[in-house]
């Protein structure tokens, strides 16, 4: 499975800021790393987010709820 890197997420964030406005940058690197790893959690031998859609949803949720980025306008 392809795993987005921190650099890829930061590039996407910069592109969104350039398009929609707001402040670019990271407020908390640890929260960003937590959001990136969260979709790959498991309990025992079982993945908590087994499908790509579940992983993508968990990644988006983590990025939004963790507030790792400096917020916009």
């Amino acid at each position: 499975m392809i795993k987005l890197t921190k650099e890829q997420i930061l590039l996407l964030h910069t592109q969104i800021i350039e398009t929609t406005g707001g402040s670019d940058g990271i407020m908390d690197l640890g929260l960003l790393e937590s959001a990136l790893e969260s979709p790959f959690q498991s309990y025992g031998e079982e993945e908590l987010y087994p499908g790509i859609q579940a992983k993508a949803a968990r990644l988006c949720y983590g990025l939004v709820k963790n507030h790792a980025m400096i917020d916009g306008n």
Side-chain angles (χ1 to χ4, degrees):
M1 170 166 282
I2 296 173
K3 189 173 179 180
L4 292 175
T5 66
K6 182 175 19 178
E7 292 76 21
Q8 290 170 318
I9 294 294
L10 293 173
L11 178 60
L12 288 169
H13 183 256
T14 298
Q15 291 173 341
I16 291 169
I17 292 297
E18 288 172 357
T19 302
T20 62
S23 301
D24 197 9
I26 302 173
M27 186 167 46
D28 189 320
L29 186 58
L31 290 175
L32 176 59
E33 291 171 348
S34 175
L36 290 173
E37 293 301 323
S38 184
F40 300 96
Q41 295 178 71
S42 63
Y43 181 75
E45 298 292 321
E46 192 169 331
E47 291 184 64
L48 297 180
Y49 307 99
I52 191 165
Q53 294 89 351
K55 282 180 175 29
R58 183 62 185 103
L59 174 61
C60 291
Y61 179 83
L63 290 171
V64 170
K65 294 302 273 186
N66 282 359
H67 297 287
M69 309 296 193
I70 296 173
D71 288 331
N73 307 355

